[in-house]
Amino acid sequence: MTADALPARFESWFAARGWFVRPHQRALVRAAQAGRDALLIAPTGAGKTLAGFLPSLIDIAEGGRANRPGGRLHTLYISPLKALAVDVHRNLEIPVSEMKLPVRIETRTGDTSAQKRQRQRRDPPDMLLTTPEQLALLIASPDAPHLFGDLRRVVLDELHALSQSKRGDLLALGLARLRSLAPAHRVTGLSATVRDPRELRRYIVGRGELADLVTAPPGAPAELSILDTQERLPWSGHSARHALAEIYAAIGRAKMTLIFVNTRAQAEFVFQELWRINEDALPIALHHGSLDAGQRRKVEAAMSDGRLRAVVCTSTLDLGIDWGDVDLVVNVGAPKGASRLMQRIGRANHRLDESSRALLVPANRFEVLECVAAVAAAREGAQDTPVARLGGLDVLCQHILGSACMAPFAADDLYAEISSAAPYAGVARETFDRALAFVATGGYALKSYDRFAKIKRNIDGVWRIANARVAQAYRMNVGVIVEETKLKVRLTRSVGKNRGPSGPQNNASLKARGPDYTGPLTRGGRVLGEIEEYFIETLAPGDTFLFGGEILALQGIVENEALVRRAQGDAPKIPSYMGGKFPLSTYLAERVRGMLASPASWKHLPEQVRDWLGEQRKRSVLPKRDNLLVETFPRGNRFFTVAYPFEGRLAHQTLGMLLTRRMERSGLKPLGFVANDYAMAVWSLADTARADMAALFNQDMLGEDLDAWLQESALMKRTFRNCAIVAHLIEMRFPGKEKTGRQATVSTDLIYDVLRRHEPEHILLEAAYADAATGLLDIGRLSDMLHRVQGRITHRALDRISPLAVPVMLEIGKEPIYGEARDEALRMAAEELIEEAHP
């Protein structure tokens, strides 16, 4: 056997399948044998998941099990998605079975039964496939040293997606703990192409070191196209209703199609509408995170077996899942980022030597520009993955508490461990001590309340949990994904038509009943999934809504369940979900501005869009790449100010809030504002045509104006609420004491006000301000924009609305629901505005 050769049975297995072992797969085996950590950068279809597991399979097959007393855990695999872990398990069983390897593989996710999870801790498999949240749970257990004591390898899949969020912070801290528990283990990171591989190489190893870099050759270039619809292209909105017939036709021409959308609400809408026009009865399915896990697994199995023609999905199927029969990806709406687009494109043909085929379907005219920019970036291989982030302080607090749940610790030792994690490499000892003090007391302003004292310091200086309840609460609330309170959606069964005095009127536990109620409701029907409580609270009994691709009517709410029945209806509401909307990347925004400023590049745009931009050039001016265009015009008895920063909805909303405060002080009497990803519009009672735009858009608004607004901002309170939940200041789940979203908000709002008055330097306020810079408020991006346009503001005082302003003006008064009536209303409103813009 040569130095590069795999063991005979592995070489034979590859040959029997007609495959050859790729150089990057051999390189990872060499790195493992040399005891090196490694990062593999590889395109979709390059076999990177198998490459990550090959060293483990070989080691166990060659006697690795015998060297682990009691058969303890050998390899830990971390995935960002439960569905991906399930898919990897299914794919790994093939070589294990065909080579008859002595390897036991299991998954552990939030869907795993409590009984199985307990058994896995007593009798772990050789390979455990799990998520960052489950790792945080496992390392907080007193038996973690036993479970991980003989760990040999950690495989981090889709690392580019994990590392850029608080989940990545949580994982990095977990990796630091594993380095303490099992110093001999080595880490392999698997990633798609990224902007700067060094950031991930540091993340893998920690301690300021770099993992080895293994790079696979690029795959075949993707076949990318943008739908040039034959229908009238909408000015605004995200439903893409105009293109559904064309999408359906594309499904009919393909073998299997993945239809990606950006939100769960849009997934429900697109799925329902495709079924409405499904004259050929094509098997089309729906997949998103709110559906019941069993239903999602059925869809995944049907895809794997080739029994489906199309699946409408969200980011739940974005990453790594190997559906070999998918030959077309349709992205409905703009992708919001070049890297995200390439990730989704890779779901098609999932083979290195075959081109992936993708069709982008812009939902409106601005999205055409964004899609063109994204396709150009993808063809160039340009990446817009974010820069490495600093670790969240709320995640740090959660990890300190979890460390105490595992075993007592010395502060010096824990600080050394935490600062070895890449996101926390620069954390100061003073910051760590403040986080430690928060976990111990809640902070200066809260230390008189015993419930906030979660850890105590012994006389020997070692920290331990205050009581067993703390550990129980930690296990029930671990993680950094803060979701709105959800209700289970359960089909009901009627047990009679009793409407009399002894019937449903005396059912005290029933909060609401529909007009078609036919008897007491039983909870024997199956659970369809979960839906956010705040949406259900907007419904009246009997109201219909879309969920899981069906039209359902609300019957009642019993405890934590929304009881529903199947129904018919012409205008069902579509659930709206908090979060889930991707921000427009800075990189794509810059390319869109460049495209607008360069009419020579318009030749590739659809005729409808070229005509629109041409009219804008005649009626006003076009935005320049590094300038800010501001238009003012009267309409009705109001005056409008429209700016075009192209910095994403979040930054624009923050700009609108700050700008209206400044306008109010200037006597311009603003009444309100709206924003989309591309522009922001303010309407006021006073004429803004002669306003000093340089003063209004001066970057000093991020000083006192920002501070004053943050003190009263509901968005800032929401950011603090999320940090408080992540840091376990507020416990959402505990037996008999579960909190609703409203209860959590009331509690955190009160605490926020107390801390702001009495302890403004509290670590959770600092965490919330840091989140605001890149999260709900996107202050960092707004700051960059204001700095860029200083002295470069182009103001056009117009006598009527401009063509470019039409899309953002259509946002005024728009409700966040889908439906044919709304689409028709938008079309009529657009025609009215265009008539004004084209006298």
Side-chain angles (χ1 to χ4, degrees):
M1 185 174 73
T2 65
D4 259 3
L6 305 185
R9 71 169 117 179
F10 287 86
E11 293 282 0
S12 298
W13 180 77
F14 274 91
R17 287 190 150 249
W19 299 347
F20 64 91
V21 186
R22 298 183 184 275
H24 57 273
Q25 294 173 325
R26 295 189 188 276
L28 283 190
V29 173
R30 289 196 304 272
Q33 291 172 342
R36 302 285 298 172
D37 302 289
L39 169 68
L40 171 61
I41 299 287
T44 296
K48 61 176 176 284
T49 303
L50 180 56
F53 281 99
L54 265 178
S56 296
L57 293 173
I58 292 171
D59 188 45
I60 296 173
E62 297 295 296
R65 172 183 282 271
N67 297 326
R68 288 176 291 123
R72 283 188 279 182
L73 184 65
H74 180 285
T75 296
L76 183 69
Y77 165 88
I78 307 293
S79 158
L81 296 176
K82 293 182 286 188
L84 180 54
V86 172
D87 181 64
V88 168
H89 184 194
R90 180 170 54 242
N91 290 335
L92 275 178
E93 288 292 355
I94 296 171
V96 168
S97 173
E98 293 181 354
M99 287 188 281
K100 296 181 172 54
L101 301 178
V103 180
R104 180 157 61 96
I105 307 169
E106 294 182 1
T107 59
R108 180 189 177 99
T109 70
D111 297 333
T112 305
S113 68
Q115 181 179 8
K116 185 175 180 179
R117 279 183 281 176
Q118 289 174 0
R119 195 264 302 155
Q120 286 172 341
R121 287 166 53 188
R122 295 192 308 270
D123 178 25
D126 299 292
M127 294 182 177
L128 184 63
L129 317 182
T130 190
T131 62
E133 291 74 20
Q134 290 298 318
L135 174 60
L137 269 174
L138 290 170
I139 62 173
S141 171
D143 58 10
H146 169 78
L147 177 62
F148 295 110
D150 290 307
L151 183 70
R152 301 294 178 82
R153 303 206 62 77
V154 173
V155 180
L156 307 175
D157 207 353
E158 304 292 354
L159 185 55
H160 59 286
L162 269 175
S163 62
Q164 299 299 330
S165 67
K166 287 189 178 182
R167 295 184 79 204
D169 299 343
L170 189 68
L171 175 58
L173 292 169
L175 294 175
R177 173 52 50 90
L178 289 178
R179 286 193 289 269
S180 299
L181 294 174
H185 85 274
R186 291 295 175 258
V187 180
T188 297
L190 309 175
S191 175
T193 306
V194 291
R195 180 186 48 79
D196 185 359
R198 289 174 301 176
E199 294 176 352
L200 295 185
R201 294 170 67 191
R202 291 190 191 97
Y203 183 97
I204 287 172
V205 182
R207 305 183 297 265
E209 301 174 14
L210 292 176
D212 291 355
L213 177 63
V214 178
T215 305
E223 297 177 13
L224 306 177
S225 60
I226 300 173
L227 179 66
D228 187 359
T229 181
Q230 301 304 303
E231 304 295 327
R232 184 183 179 92
L233 187 60
W235 295 89
S236 183
H238 302 281
S239 73
R241 182 190 291 273
H242 70 285
L244 289 173
E246 293 162 302
I247 294 173
Y248 183 73
I251 294 171
R253 294 189 295 268
K255 184 175 182 180
M256 185 188 294
T257 303
L258 280 182
I259 304 166
F260 281 107
V261 297
N262 288 336
T263 66
R264 286 170 283 179
Q266 194 177 20
E268 292 280 357
F269 168 77
V270 170
F271 175 77
Q272 184 70 20
E273 291 301 301
L274 286 175
W275 263 107
R276 189 172 62 83
I277 61 176
N278 189 8
E279 297 178 352
D280 299 322
L282 301 177
I284 302 173
L286 175 66
H287 193 289
H288 64 68
S290 290
L291 298 180
D292 177 65
Q295 177 62 25
R296 297 197 304 269
R297 297 295 95 83
K298 288 179 182 178
V299 172
E300 292 158 15
M303 288 180 68
S304 183
D305 294 342
R307 291 183 278 119
L308 296 175
R309 292 293 299 277
V311 178
V312 180
C313 57
T314 59
S315 56
T316 52
L317 295 184
D318 256 6
L319 300 172
I321 300 174
D322 185 4
W323 312 122
D325 288 331
V326 174
D327 58 344
L328 175 65
V329 164
V330 174
N331 196 93
V332 178
K336 303 303 174 188
S339 298
R340 179 175 294 111
L341 173 62
M342 290 307 298
Q343 186 72 48
R344 289 182 167 180
I345 291 170
R347 300 311 99 212
N349 279 335
H350 218 261
R351 299 176 181 91
L352 184 64
D353 303 323
E354 297 182 19
S355 294
S356 299
R357 190 162 59 95
L359 174 66
L360 277 67
V361 182
N364 59 59
R365 298 184 182 216
F366 264 126
E367 284 195 350
V368 171
L369 303 178
E370 190 179 334
C371 286
V372 170
V375 166
R379 286 174 176 160
E380 296 169 10
Q383 298 293 323
D384 55 3
T385 48
V387 298
R389 54 176 275 123
L390 299 176
L393 297 178
D394 49 348
V395 184
L396 172 61
C397 294
Q398 181 182 129
H399 181 72
I400 291 173
L401 179 57
S403 299
C405 291
M406 187 195 84
F409 65 83
D412 290 346
D413 294 340
L414 185 59
Y415 173 69
E417 179 184 291
I418 285 171
S419 57
S420 74
Y424 296 91
V427 67
R429 179 59 190 256
E430 181 269 339
T431 302
F432 169 81
D433 288 340
R434 288 169 56 216
L436 182 63
F438 161 75
V439 179
T441 67
Y444 171 77
L446 303 175
K447 65 180 181 180
S448 59
Y449 300 92
D450 288 342
R451 68 178 181 274
F452 296 126
K454 300 183 185 297
I455 61 176
K456 295 183 180 296
R457 190 177 186 182
N458 288 352
I459 191 170
D460 58 359
V462 172
W463 293 89
R464 64 179 68 244
I465 56 171
N467 51 63
R469 182 198 178 281
V470 171
Q472 183 182 7
Y474 176 86
R475 290 192 294 270
M476 298 187 69
N477 293 276
V478 71
V480 297
I481 300 174
V482 179
E483 297 180 330
E484 296 299 309
T485 303
K486 292 183 177 180
L487 301 176
K488 287 184 172 64
V489 179
R490 186 185 291 276
L491 285 172
T492 60
R493 295 175 181 170
S494 177
V495 295
K497 292 189 176 284
N498 183 359
R499 293 180 183 267
S502 62
Q505 289 83 346
N506 293 331
N507 187 350
S509 67
L510 188 63
K511 297 181 182 178
R513 292 189 294 271
D516 298 325
Y517 178 76
T518 57
L521 303 180
T522 71
R523 300 166 72 177
R526 70 184 181 92
V527 172
L528 302 178
E530 294 182 323
I531 197 165
E532 291 180 2
E533 180 185 46
Y534 82 94
F535 171 75
I536 289 293
E537 289 178 345
T538 68
L539 302 180
D543 280 356
T544 58
F545 64 99
L546 285 179
F547 187 81
E550 300 184 87
I551 299 177
L552 305 174
L554 178 67
Q555 293 291 90
I557 302 173
V558 178
E559 297 176 358
N560 66 338
E561 295 187 344
L563 306 183
V564 300
R565 61 174 175 82
R566 291 188 173 95
Q568 301 292 323
D570 295 328
K573 294 183 178 180
I574 296 183
S576 55
Y577 298 89
M578 301 299 289
K581 295 182 180 179
F582 298 119
L584 174 66
S585 76
T586 302
Y587 178 77
L588 279 193
E590 183 178 354
R591 293 188 76 127
V592 169
R593 290 197 304 269
M595 193 186 314
L596 285 171
S598 177
S601 66
W602 298 353
K603 59 185 177 182
H604 300 298
L605 298 177
E607 182 179 0
Q608 295 182 66
V609 178
R610 290 199 307 270
D611 291 346
W612 170 49
L613 298 181
E615 286 297 321
Q616 171 68 18
R617 186 161 53 162
K618 287 191 291 186
R619 305 291 175 186
S620 178
V621 295
L622 291 161
K624 295 182 179 179
R625 182 187 291 271
D626 294 320
N627 286 26
L628 176 65
L629 172 62
V630 180
E631 295 175 330
T632 55
F633 51 85
R635 184 171 188 267
N637 58 351
R638 301 287 188 268
F639 296 91
F640 289 83
T641 303
V642 180
Y644 303 91
F646 293 91
E647 293 294 346
R649 184 184 297 269
L650 297 177
H652 294 171
Q653 287 176 336
T654 300
L655 175 62
M657 293 170 186
L658 296 176
L659 187 63
T660 49
R661 291 177 67 96
R662 183 159 285 195
M663 291 174 68
E664 182 67 34
R665 286 205 311 272
S666 300
L668 296 174
K669 302 177 182 177
L671 299 173
F673 74 92
V674 291
N676 59 22
D677 269 332
Y678 318 102
M680 180 212 64
V682 180
W683 57 97
S684 58
L685 291 174
D687 190 354
T688 54
R690 296 183 179 180
D692 184 348
M693 293 299 165
L696 285 179
F697 288 89
N698 193 291
Q699 63 190 117
D700 64 6
M701 72 165 63
L702 296 180
E704 292 183 2
D705 280 343
L706 176 62
D707 291 340
W709 174 64
L710 287 178
Q711 301 305 317
E712 60 193 42
S713 167
L715 285 177
M716 191 64 209
K717 286 187 174 182
R718 181 178 163 195
T719 301
F720 176 81
R721 169 186 176 272
N722 292 347
C723 290
I725 292 172
V726 169
H728 289 223
L729 180 67
I730 297 295
E731 297 164 353
M732 297 295 291
R733 291 173 292 276
F734 196 80
K737 296 184 178 181
E738 288 80 5
K739 285 186 172 61
T740 66
R742 184 180 297 108
Q743 288 171 331
T745 298
V746 170
S747 298
T748 56
D749 282 358
L750 290 172
I751 294 173
Y752 176 80
D753 289 336
V754 168
L755 296 181
R756 191 163 52 83
R757 286 195 301 269
H758 301 292
E759 195 178 356
E761 71 283 358
H762 193 279
I763 195 162
L764 288 193
L765 290 181
E766 182 179 340
Y769 292 146
D771 278 6
T774 55
L776 289 173
L777 308 182
D778 217 350
I779 294 168
R781 190 162 171 184
L782 175 59
S783 175
D784 292 341
M785 184 277 294
L786 292 173
H787 177 75
R788 186 186 76 241
V789 304
Q790 291 305 296
R792 297 178 178 177
I793 296 176
T794 301
H795 176 205
R796 285 293 181 270
L798 309 174
D799 59 0
R800 58 178 58 84
I801 186 175
S802 74
L804 205 62
V806 171
V808 73
M809 292 287 286
L810 287 169
E811 298 282 340
I812 298 174
K814 189 173 70 175
E815 293 298 322
I817 59 173
Y818 292 90
E820 192 168 354
R822 179 190 144 191
D823 286 348
E824 178 65 15
L826 277 175
R827 185 187 64 78
M828 294 173 62
E831 289 177 354
E832 179 183 343
L833 290 174
I834 288 300
E835 286 181 8
E836 292 181 26
H838 298 73

